[in-house]
Amino acid sequence: MLQIDSGVAIPADRMKYPFRDMLVGDSILFKDRKMANSARVSALRFVRLHQPRWRFQLRKVEDGWRLWRVV
């Protein structure tokens, strides 16, 4: 049987990546391509739901993968 709890607050933000805090020209470095692709997909979803005019670019760099906010 499941237990019912009351008075438990809902977390304010479920975002894994700090897209909301990024300014144009800011970027995030990822060492792993799989994680970089996950962030890219999350960025696309964030744009579609919250900031339709924003754009992000993912590029291979010397030390991994970098996701930039470009618009």
Side-chain angles (χ1 to χ4, degrees), residues 4-68:
I4 299 172
D5 299 321
S6 60
V8 178
I10 298 173
D13 198 359
R14 296 181 349 164
M15 288 184 51
K16 183 176 181 178
Y17 305 104
F19 301 133
R20 192 178 315 268
D21 301 327
M22 292 178 75
L23 302 174
V24 173
D26 288 352
S27 65
I28 304 169
L29 177 65
F30 298 93
K31 299 291 184 181
D32 178 52
R33 183 177 182 176
K34 185 176 179 181
M35 186 167 221
N37 280 329
S38 173
R40 182 187 61 80
V41 171
S42 293
L44 292 172
R45 182 167 163 69
F46 173 81
V47 166
R48 186 168 24 99
L49 295 174
H50 302 288
Q51 297 293 340
R53 294 184 178 154
W54 287 19
R55 296 292 177 261
F56 289 88
Q57 290 280 322
L58 180 66
R59 294 284 188 262
K60 174 79 172 121
V61 293
E62 186 175 313
D63 48 349
W65 294 86
R66 195 166 281 279
L67 181 71
W68 279 272

